[in-house]
Amino acid sequence: DGAQVEAFSGSNFVKQCGQIDYQSGKDSYTIECGDTIADLIKIIQTSGDVLTLCEVETYGEKVTFSKYQLIDSDDRRASQSSTGWGGNAARAIDGNTANSWTQNSCTHTKASGTAWWKVNLGVLYKVDKVVIYNRMDCCGDRLDGAQVQAFHGSSLVKICGRIDYQSGKLSYTIECRHNGDTIADMIKIIQTSGKKLTLCEVETYGERVE
């Protein structure tokens, strides 16, 4: 009773799929994980009881990755409109998708009319998508309505999309390839609602332009 089912990608926590509510006489429990990309499933019991499992079946579809890869070069530089509570811009490209403020991996701006965060990719890429990890312990709705924009130098290339906040959702994928290729060297996330902007990780996928 109370055991949690968690999904991971490598060592990174992706999602808590659910919790088992024990029912006397029930021989199996189905926990839905939704659209979760993971390579490891973990069942954890924190009550102090021993953990016994007679069978664990995981159902899914193998993911085939495209030619577009995660851009993680050392040439990237992040900045933001302001910094509050020590949440510096570089935290969003530290490779850590931890989603609680106390884990020291989320950015934080001060409140202003327009808050923004951006990453200079160093060189030009054909940008496929941007994946944004939200804060889950508090204030997740601050991300609602934020726009993801692609730039070539100081010129706006495309508004890739907008985040529609959903309670309990960890990450948002914004596609940038609609209406033709997006050739850019900078990604900017902008929030014009007056709310603070907090990002726990921003992953940009693309193919380098030679």
Side-chain angles (χ1 to χ4, degrees):
D1 185 51
Q4 291 181 354
V5 179
E6 301 176 342
F8 287 76
S9 176
S11 60
N12 293 320
F13 174 77
V14 176
K15 181 187 286 186
Q16 181 179 312
C17 297
Q19 178 177 295
I20 295 172
D21 295 319
Y22 170 74
Q23 298 176 41
S24 179
K26 188 171 184 178
D27 66 354
S28 67
Y29 298 84
T30 300
I31 304 297
E32 301 288 345
C33 287
D35 189 14
T36 300
I37 307 298
D39 57 12
L40 183 145
I41 298 296
K42 183 177 182 179
I43 301 172
I44 183 169
Q45 176 58 276
T46 60
S47 69
D49 290 336
V50 296
L51 180 63
T52 299
L53 306 167
C54 292
E55 187 71 14
V56 178
E57 297 176 342
T58 305
Y59 293 82
E61 178 184 9
K62 185 175 180 179
V63 175
T64 302
F65 292 99
S66 72
K67 63 181 179 180
Y68 298 103
Q69 301 296 317
L70 173 64
I71 301 168
D72 59 358
S73 78
D74 293 336
D75 295 333
R76 296 173 302 155
R77 295 292 180 269
S79 59
Q80 59 190 9
S81 53
S82 62
T83 299
W85 297 270
N88 66 75
R91 287 183 171 187
I93 55 169
D94 63 0
N96 187 349
T97 59
N99 53 63
S100 174
W101 178 252
T102 57
Q103 293 172 291
N104 299 318
S105 188
C106 300
T107 70
H108 203 308
T109 69
K110 298 176 182 177
S112 65
T114 299
W116 54 262
W117 176 95
K118 65 183 180 181
V119 58
N120 188 318
L121 301 174
V123 296
L124 284 172
Y125 286 87
K126 187 184 294 184
V127 177
D128 175 43
K129 64 184 177 182
V130 179
V131 181
I132 299 162
Y133 290 82
N134 198 10
R135 180 178 173 181
M136 300 298 287
D137 61 327
C138 166
C139 324
D141 62 340
R142 291 175 180 171
L143 208 52
D144 189 47
Q147 278 189 358
V148 178
Q149 303 175 344
F151 285 78
H152 181 184
S154 60
S155 298
L156 176 66
V157 175
K158 184 184 289 183
I159 296 174
C160 296
R162 193 182 88 128
I163 294 171
D164 293 318
Y165 169 73
Q166 298 177 43
S167 178
K169 187 170 183 179
L170 172 63
S171 65
Y172 298 84
T173 299
I174 306 297
E175 303 287 346
C176 287
R177 287 192 296 126
H178 51 83
N179 300 322
D181 289 339
T182 300
I183 308 299
D185 57 9
M186 188 182 80
I187 297 297
K188 185 175 186 178
I189 300 170
I190 185 168
Q191 177 58 278
T192 60
S193 68
K195 296 177 181 177
K196 306 176 185 73
L197 181 62
T198 295
L199 307 166
C200 290
E201 189 71 11
V202 178
E203 297 175 342
T204 305
Y205 291 80
E207 179 185 21
R208 183 168 176 165
V209 175
E210 301 296 341

